[in-house]
Amino acid sequence: MTPADWRALIEAYLDGRLSAEAFMRRFVEAWRASGGRVPPAIASLQSTVEAFEADVLDAREDGVVNDDELRQAAQRAISNLSEDGPAVAPQTFDRTRARAEFRRFQVQATGCAGIGCVIALIWVALCVLQIYFVSEWIQEAFDWGAWPSAVAGFLLAFVPIVGNILAYLGATQEGWPSLVAAIVFFAAPAATIISGWTRWRQQGPRG
């Protein structure tokens, strides 16, 4: 039914051309036929009509039902009907779309997890190399034993800049080309930090 049809039905009741029971029956039939696709004013009236229908069923023996509340609700509905926009369709759950969204989320999550794992593995490998070469440089430079050098190397390897420089010196001392050592101990850590920071900015802080 169009808003004009609903208005005509309500006016017929308010003008006395339809009894309250007849209005109730026609309203319920029209509501069911519309599948809930009605203007907001009619949707508000529907609960009152349902309550009146329940009163009618309860009062079958007495045969007297007060329709004052129904009449007031009908008057409010007809005054609000002109202010309503087009009918709103009831929302339904779209299984196909939900599956597609879920698959896309899985792909994105898998991709993020894969990239995160690669970055983490690279970072661990860099840390191990940095500790090793810092320890080697300390052992060679100060003629310390293996254990003191390893402890000092472990501590110094994680000092920003200092650890990178000492690891670079240790790697070149062990025969690494200067360019390769610079890439591994300066460029690679910077790249992983920038990559992680960029992903954090894109996803936003948690919590």
Side-chain angles (χ1 to χ4, degrees):
M1 291 178 65
T2 65
D5 295 330
W6 287 109
R7 176 182 291 277
L9 176 61
I10 297 172
E11 286 178 346
Y13 164 56
L14 295 176
D15 294 345
R17 287 178 280 129
L18 285 176
S19 66
E21 289 80 1
F23 168 72
M24 174 199 72
R25 287 192 296 271
R26 293 192 183 184
F27 184 95
V28 171
E29 290 172 359
W31 173 272
R32 290 172 180 168
S34 68
R37 187 183 177 87
V38 297
I42 301 303
S44 300
L45 177 59
Q46 191 266 343
S47 59
T48 306
V49 173
E50 277 191 349
F52 181 77
E53 183 180 20
D55 292 341
V56 170
L57 294 175
D58 291 341
R60 279 191 180 277
E61 296 180 358
D62 299 335
V64 178
V65 179
N66 189 320
D67 69 331
D68 289 346
E69 186 176 352
L70 178 63
R71 183 171 293 274
Q72 292 173 3
Q75 290 171 343
R76 288 195 301 270
I78 203 168
S79 63
N80 294 332
L81 195 57
S82 59
E83 301 175 3
D84 289 340
V88 179
Q91 295 184 353
T92 57
F93 180 71
D94 190 339
R95 292 179 180 273
T96 303
R97 183 176 179 182
R99 290 195 193 99
E101 293 290 340
F102 183 69
R103 288 195 194 98
R104 183 159 60 245
F105 170 77
Q106 283 183 314
V107 170
Q108 291 175 348
T110 303
C112 290
I115 294 172
C117 288
V118 171
I119 293 175
L121 289 174
I122 293 174
W123 189 257
V124 170
L126 289 174
C127 288
V128 172
L129 283 175
Q130 194 155 305
I131 293 170
Y132 172 77
F133 283 117
V134 170
S135 301
E136 287 294 311
W137 182 84
I138 291 174
Q139 187 173 8
E140 182 69 23
F142 298 102
D143 197 23
W144 287 5
W147 279 108
S149 299
V151 172
F154 181 83
L155 296 175
L156 290 175
F158 294 102
V159 178
I161 307 301
V162 174
N164 300 87
I165 293 174
L166 295 181
Y168 170 82
L169 294 175
T172 53
Q173 174 183 283
E174 293 292 317
W176 279 35
S178 298
L179 179 60
V180 174
I183 291 174
V184 171
F185 296 111
F186 293 110
T192 55
I193 291 173
I194 292 172
S195 175
W197 179 79
T198 302
R199 291 179 66 246
W200 180 84
R201 285 291 302 273
Q202 290 175 346
Q203 296 176 2
R206 303 295 182 184

